[in-house]
Amino acid sequence: MSSKLPLIIECRSNDTDYRKDNPNCPHSPQEIVREAVRAWEAGASIFHWHGRDPVSGAWISDVDIYLEAIQGIREKTDLIINPTLNYVTKQSHVSDRVKHILAAKNNPALGIDMVPLEFGSLNIDFWNPQIKQFQTYDQVHISSRAYMQEVLKILKENDIFVSTVCWDVGQIRTALCFREMGLLPENTFWEFVFTGEIMPSGILPTLSNLQAVVDSIPAGEPWLAMCWNGDVMHLAAWAITLGGHVGIGLGDHPYTRFGTPHNGELVEKVAQMANILGREVATPTQAREILKMPPRNAASSPEKRSY
């Protein structure tokens, strides 16, 4: 990737519920739309979120919750929307996990731009460095290859763009196998998940590790770095200079060293870093062009924001 390409910033708004640390982490559809607008105004071109119970903040799979958020985001921004697949449990069925995606896809006023798919399972027990113990010992995020195959077939049948989410090099290799099978399109967006101290199952956020994952994908394909349960800022600087893209938001880290920022303020920090390093920030229209995605209907899109 060229460092001269505009920088795509993805706002990752509420993957983990950090509301106890930062009250700006959104739960309800109205709060999610508010954060989407803030992120869009600050420079984000992609918006990612999880459906949450408006009161408790628990992950939920309610289709109407997702559709309400999508409608509000569409009405107020031209963001590329990238909602999660539904909450993972051992009892999850693919039909349950894609029902909100297909409901939005089948509504011409809403639509779906992109769907993230993780290419492997991993242990998700959090580490407590103070007491030197894991908080739990049996939490597993399940993403079997049978599951990946079934989801990819559905996304391919419905012509939905896939962001390829990988937590290690083995998951990248797995994704490339699905490409050889003809299920993962060559036109994808690689999203590399690095992790902070409390999540040792992921990639340590170092420059050498970033270079290793970038070297593992076909040359020239677009990629993004994020840091789940950790601060992404060092990775952001390296990604900007190496020609990659950046994901940031209150769903990944509460960023209390900045006080209680909202998602837009975090996006703005990455946009300012890009400006300092001499790289333009992509609008959603430019991001679509970089990712070779079809354009949204210009007549139905809000007026574009500028920087």
Side-chain angles (χ1 to χ4, degrees), residues 192-241:
F192 303 136
V193 188
F194 295 78
T195 59
E197 183 181 24
I198 68 170
M199 182 62 184
S201 297
I203 311 168
L204 195 66
T206 65
L207 178 57
S208 57
N209 284 345
L210 175 60
Q211 192 64 64
V213 293
V214 172
D215 288 345
S216 299
I217 65 172
E221 297 195 6
W223 57 269
L224 172 148
M226 67 183 80
C227 192
W228 197 54
N229 287 285
D231 193 320
V232 80
M233 291 303 178
H234 284 94
L235 279 171
W238 297 326
I240 291 167
T241 54

Side-chain angles (χ1 to χ4, degrees), residues 36-263:
V37 172
R38 286 171 166 175
W40 177 70
E41 290 175 341
S45 49
I46 301 175
F47 188 78
H48 172 75
W49 79 100
H50 289 238
R52 290 192 173 278
D53 182 276
V55 178
S56 70
W59 283 340
I60 57 174
S61 302
D62 190 299
V63 171
D64 290 337
I65 289 285
Y66 278 98
L67 296 187
E68 183 179 349
I70 293 171
Q71 182 176 354
I73 295 168
R74 290 293 195 212
E75 289 174 351
K76 296 177 182 295
T77 79
D78 65 335
L79 283 162
I80 296 170
I81 62 166
N82 183 26
T84 189
L85 290 167
N86 265 331
Y87 180 56
V88 186
T89 69
K90 293 180 181 179
Q91 292 77 36
S92 292
H93 297 287
V94 170
S95 59
D96 294 327
R97 299 197 61 198
V98 300
K99 58 186 179 180
H100 63 301
I101 302 294
L102 297 182
K105 171 70 177 178
N106 293 328
N107 184 330
L110 301 181
I112 282 290
D113 297 313
M114 177 187 293
V115 173
L117 179 60
E118 291 165 308
F119 280 82
S121 303
L122 71 157
N123 297 320
I124 54 173
D125 305 288
F126 286 173
W127 172 250
N128 187 323
Q130 281 73 44
I131 64 172
K132 302 189 185 309
Q133 292 284 332
F134 287 101
Q135 294 181 16
T136 58
Y137 284 83
D138 59 356
Q139 300 301 300
V140 180
H141 174 85
I142 300 172
S143 186
S144 70
R145 287 173 177 157
Y147 161 73
M148 298 173 212
Q149 183 180 43
E150 190 171 351
V151 172
L152 284 169
K153 286 180 178 178
I154 293 170
L155 298 180
K156 184 175 181 180
E157 289 169 1
N158 288 274
D159 193 27
I160 297 173
F161 187 96
V162 180
S163 73
T164 300
V165 180
C166 298
W167 295 70
D168 58 38
V169 172
Q171 294 190 11
I172 295 172
R173 295 176 65 190
T174 297
L176 291 172
C177 290
F178 278 101
R179 177 175 287 183
E180 291 188 35
M181 293 167 62
L183 289 176
L184 177 66
E186 290 191 13
N187 185 34
T188 189
F189 191 25
W190 296 91
E191 298 200 308
F192 303 136
V193 188
F194 295 78
T195 59
E197 183 181 24
I198 68 170
M199 182 62 184
S201 297
I203 311 168
L204 195 66
T206 65
L207 178 57
S208 57
N209 284 345
L210 175 60
Q211 192 64 64
V213 293
V214 172
D215 288 345
S216 299
I217 65 172
E221 297 195 6
W223 57 269
L224 172 148
M226 67 183 80
C227 192
W228 197 54
N229 287 285
D231 193 320
V232 80
M233 291 303 178
H234 284 94
L235 279 171
W238 297 326
I240 291 167
T241 54
L242 291 173
H245 305 281
V246 177
I248 190 170
L250 294 178
D252 290 341
H253 192 62
Y255 290 95
T256 52
R257 69 184 178 99
F258 301 127
T260 54
H262 57 65
N263 280 293

